[in-house]
Amino acid sequence: MQNNEQERLLRDMELVHRVHKHNDSDAFGELYDTYYAQILRYFLYRTADEDLAKDLTSETFYQALKSIWRYKWQNKPFSAWLYRIGHNQHMLYLRKNKRYCKITTEEAPELIAKIEERQDVVLMAKQDEEERLGEYTRVREAMSHLPARQHSILILRFFAKKSIKEIADILRMPEGTVKSHIHRSLKRVQIIMKEMPVRRESMAEKYSMDGVQPVGKSLVKIDETWSEESV
């Protein structure tokens, strides 16, 4: 895994250099193809609105293309910069629309599964769909009540699978602050989920779960023994 990450880092550096030095559109195109699915998935988790997610993804890459001459290589994945731009674009959208973009939990699995149409997205093996969907919808509904920044941090941590350090880089905040946000957010999600009725209806047949990231026991089953080290 580390070798693959290092190879990706070196490839990103080479592509960015080609864009800077030669204004190489093919190099930027490769960066686009590499990270498009990740950024689109991020926005689908944030908005549960397919059209809006695509619009925000397009705007993110457009802003990246416009600003890439100012981008300075810091030996970090290019995706960190894209996530930062994406986060800022989403915050700008929320400010302009004067409302929080609530998660539509019953539509989210179906929307995210549509990303599988892109060949560069690795589809997940099917698990116990009914149980996984139940966890997914309850957690997403609870998360929809969080403030926008905390919601973004949990999406990056548990759905985009970013490390604490990566989230700190993306959002430009100290790692300790990221951990504090996660700690408070998980406690809040735990409280909300305890107050929610347990849904028994079967939706597995209605929605395809292919391509949906597992929520993970660390997010769903939170107990009093949770500590910052566990994130």
Side-chain angles (χ1 to χ4, degrees):
M1 181 64 71
Q2 288 184 346
N3 288 338
N4 290 339
E5 291 175 357
Q6 187 62 29
E7 289 176 5
R8 181 68 259 167
L9 200 63
L10 292 174
R11 184 58 178 168
D12 283 357
M13 181 173 65
E14 176 190 343
L15 293 171
V16 170
H17 176 74
R18 283 167 49 188
V19 174
H20 281 173
K21 192 170 182 64
H22 306 292
N23 197 24
D24 189 336
S25 60
D26 288 339
F28 187 82
E30 184 174 332
L31 289 168
Y32 176 92
D33 289 338
T34 299
Y35 294 114
Y36 175 87
Q38 288 185 35
I39 302 303
L40 177 59
R41 185 187 294 274
Y42 168 73
F43 283 127
L44 285 173
Y45 278 126
R46 290 303 311 271
T47 68
D49 183 320
E50 184 176 11
D51 291 335
L52 176 57
K54 288 180 177 179
D55 287 345
L56 288 171
T57 300
S58 296
E59 185 63 23
T60 294
F61 280 98
Y62 173 68
Q63 293 298 329
L65 181 60
K66 280 204 322 181
S67 306
I68 198 167
W69 62 273
R70 295 185 302 185
Y71 177 76
K72 294 182 179 179
W73 183 256
Q74 298 179 325
N75 204 37
K76 297 174 183 177
F78 186 73
S79 60
W81 189 55
L82 292 175
Y83 276 109
R84 185 183 306 149
I85 295 174
H87 171 79
N88 291 338
Q89 289 302 310
H90 188 240
M91 293 299 102
L92 180 62
Y93 170 83
L94 294 179
R95 286 196 295 272
K96 284 183 175 179
N97 288 271
K98 307 292 185 183
R99 65 184 178 85
Y100 184 78
C101 192
K102 293 290 186 182
I103 295 298
T104 309
T105 55
E106 294 190 359
E107 293 181 1
E110 184 178 51
L111 291 175
I112 295 167
K114 288 185 179 181
I115 307 178
E116 70 187 36
E117 295 171 5
R118 291 183 59 90
Q119 293 182 354
D120 53 347
V121 178
V122 179
L123 297 180
M124 295 176 57
K126 286 190 176 181
Q127 301 176 7
D128 184 344
E129 291 190 353
E130 186 135 358
E131 179 181 352
R132 188 150 60 96
L133 180 56
E135 290 181 350
Y136 177 87
T137 54
R138 294 183 73 243
V139 170
R140 294 306 302 277
E141 184 172 343
M143 285 174 59
S144 72
H145 297 282
L146 296 174
R149 180 170 291 272
Q150 292 185 351
H151 183 267
S152 180
I153 289 173
L154 289 192
I155 291 292
L156 288 169
R157 181 65 177 127
F158 294 101
F159 292 84
K161 305 299 183 184
K162 298 299 178 184
S163 67
I164 299 297
K165 185 178 186 307
E166 287 174 322
I167 297 172
D169 288 339
I170 290 168
L171 300 181
R172 290 181 172 174
M173 62 173 59
E175 291 183 29
T177 303
V178 173
K179 289 183 178 182
S180 178
H181 275 300
I182 293 175
H183 178 76
R184 291 198 300 269
S185 301
L186 291 180
K187 289 298 183 183
R188 178 61 182 156
V189 168
Q190 181 187 35
I191 292 171
I192 294 171
M193 289 183 68
K194 285 181 178 178
E195 296 173 352
M196 289 167 54
V198 177
R199 296 182 178 181
R200 297 296 183 184
E201 67 270 27
S202 173
M203 293 187 290
E205 295 180 0
K206 185 176 180 181
Y207 297 110
S208 168
M209 289 295 289
D210 289 343
V212 178
Q213 294 278 3
V215 174
K217 302 300 183 182
S218 56
L219 180 56
V220 179
K221 296 183 179 178
I222 311 166
D223 57 36
E224 299 302 325
T225 63
W226 185 92
S227 66
E228 290 188 353
E229 288 75 20
S230 67
V231 302

